[in-house]
Amino acid sequence: MRTIKIVSDSASDILTLEDMDFAYSPMKIITAEREFTDDRQIDVEEMVAFLDHYKGQSKSSCPNTADWLEAFGEADDIFCVTITSGLSGSYNSACTAKKLYEEQHPGSRVLVVDSLSAGPEISLLIYRLAESVRAGLTYEEICENIHAYQKNTGLIFMLKSLKNFANNGRVSPIVAKLVGIAGICIVGRASDEGTLDPAHKCRGEARALDTLLSELEKFGLRTGKVSIGHCQNLSAAQQLKNMIETKFHQVQVEIHQLRGLCSFYAEKGGVLVGFEKM
């Protein structure tokens, strides 16, 4: 019987899978003063507080090829999901590890999926992989299933700060400062190319949540699953959950706290929403 393993980088926010061989490869958040490894020991609140006051450059660092090979272990069939290649080199490193692993383990197979997303959408992909494995599907069937499923998932986000994006050179510091001072929330989505696409500037959280709900409907939410990840903003996550359940009666919504890498990008008050377009 072939052994099966599911693997991701820490942008999935998943530490374990029930009844499933699973491993994650930690990403890192790096500054000139401190470095945070996104593993079980990370203190996310401490990291967020530090970055909130830190004025220097900050960046994330992805797993290298050796890290991925360690996470792959010794399984026959491996299903690996990474953070979007539009934000990180994690996917490319995983692809290099796939090639080496298959060369070193003749007969083994590794599927590497570029999520084109982060956080809650990655977790939806991983849970679907786990369901497919439990259902006894073949490797080829699982590959076909996950690629089809990925076409019917999406990610919407609300950000209250762009400070870290500015510190690692992804947005203008002037734009980031305006968002922080004016009480503006940015609402956007993960594009089909895997970039984060800011679409709306909303004054205040209430308007931003209304916009999030409208965007979820616009991009196909009707039934199915929704995964809400938040960075120290449980009240907004719960409010959005109530709004979704009121509007879409057949939707299953879960809430979780974002871990290190996703909190680095979402920042304090940020909310990421993965959803099925069903």
Side-chain angles (χ1 to χ4, degrees), residues 178-252:
L178 286 174
V179 170
I181 292 176
I184 293 173
C185 297
I186 300 295
V187 173
R189 61 184 284 264
S191 71
D192 294 338
E193 295 75 35
T195 59
L196 298 185
D197 183 17
H200 305 278
K201 298 182 180 69
C202 305
R203 190 171 294 277
E205 184 176 272
R207 181 167 294 182
L209 292 176
D210 286 338
T211 303
L212 274 175
L213 187 66
S214 297
E215 290 289 281
L216 287 168
E217 182 175 25
K218 174 182 175 181
F219 288 103
L221 177 64
R222 297 294 182 273
T223 62
K225 298 176 182 176
V226 174
S227 178
I228 302 175
H230 69 92
C231 180
Q232 300 179 22
N233 199 351
L234 179 59
S235 62
Q238 289 178 327
Q239 186 176 345
L240 181 61
K241 179 178 186 290
N242 293 337
M243 294 165 67
I244 292 171
E245 291 176 337
T246 299
K247 189 173 184 65
F248 306 105
H249 301 297
Q250 295 181 316
V251 170
Q252 298 174 300

Side-chain angles (χ1 to χ4, degrees), residues 129-140:
L129 283 170
E131 290 172 4
S132 298
V133 172
R134 294 187 185 106
L137 300 185
T138 66
Y139 176 85
E140 293 78 11

Side-chain angles (χ1 to χ4, degrees), residues 31-269:
T31 74
E33 296 180 9
R34 294 190 63 180
E35 181 176 303
F36 300 88
T37 300
D38 191 14
D39 57 15
R40 291 176 182 273
Q41 284 71 47
I42 190 172
D43 186 328
V44 177
E45 289 191 8
E46 180 187 8
M47 183 197 78
V48 171
F50 170 81
L51 292 172
D52 188 44
H53 294 94
Y54 180 70
K55 300 186 183 302
Q57 186 180 29
S58 57
K59 62 181 180 179
S60 60
S61 174
C62 69
N64 59 34
T65 301
D67 295 329
W68 280 119
L69 287 172
E70 181 180 354
F72 289 173
E74 297 292 333
D76 296 319
D77 292 334
I78 298 168
F79 300 96
C80 174
V81 187
T82 76
I83 188 174
T84 173
S85 58
L87 283 178
S88 169
S90 187
Y91 172 73
N92 291 332
S93 294
C95 287
T96 301
K98 161 190 164 68
K99 182 179 179 181
L100 290 172
Y101 189 87
E102 290 177 340
E103 289 175 353
Q104 296 167 1
H105 300 76
S108 292
R109 298 170 293 190
V110 181
L111 173 70
V112 181
V113 178
D114 181 354
S115 72
L116 300 175
S117 190
E121 187 175 1
I122 300 179
S123 67
L124 289 176
L125 296 175
I126 290 173
Y127 291 139
R128 173 53 67 97
L129 283 170
E131 290 172 4
S132 298
V133 172
R134 294 187 185 106
L137 300 185
T138 66
Y139 176 85
E140 293 78 11
E141 288 171 335
I142 293 173
C143 293
E144 182 179 352
N145 181 285
I146 197 61
H147 287 312
Y149 180 71
Q150 187 177 12
K151 294 177 182 178
N152 290 294
T153 60
L155 181 79
I156 305 290
F157 59 83
M158 176 189 77
L159 305 179
K160 289 189 170 185
S161 171
L162 297 176
K163 181 175 180 288
N164 291 340
F165 276 98
N167 284 350
N168 65 19
R170 296 188 183 274
V171 301
S172 162
I174 296 176
V175 172
K177 190 172 183 179
L178 286 174
V179 170
I181 292 176
I184 293 173
C185 297
I186 300 295
V187 173
R189 61 184 284 264
S191 71
D192 294 338
E193 295 75 35
T195 59
L196 298 185
D197 183 17
H200 305 278
K201 298 182 180 69
C202 305
R203 190 171 294 277
E205 184 176 272
R207 181 167 294 182
L209 292 176
D210 286 338
T211 303
L212 274 175
L213 187 66
S214 297
E215 290 289 281
L216 287 168
E217 182 175 25
K218 174 182 175 181
F219 288 103
L221 177 64
R222 297 294 182 273
T223 62
K225 298 176 182 176
V226 174
S227 178
I228 302 175
H230 69 92
C231 180
Q232 300 179 22
N233 199 351
L234 179 59
S235 62
Q238 289 178 327
Q239 186 176 345
L240 181 61
K241 179 178 186 290
N242 293 337
M243 294 165 67
I244 292 171
E245 291 176 337
T246 299
K247 189 173 184 65
F248 306 105
H249 301 297
Q250 295 181 316
V251 170
Q252 298 174 300
V253 185
E254 70 87 20
I255 295 174
H256 64 275
Q257 187 164 323
L258 298 173
R259 295 187 58 77
L261 191 281
C262 288
S263 291
F264 172 67
Y265 283 113
E267 299 191 55
K268 187 174 182 179

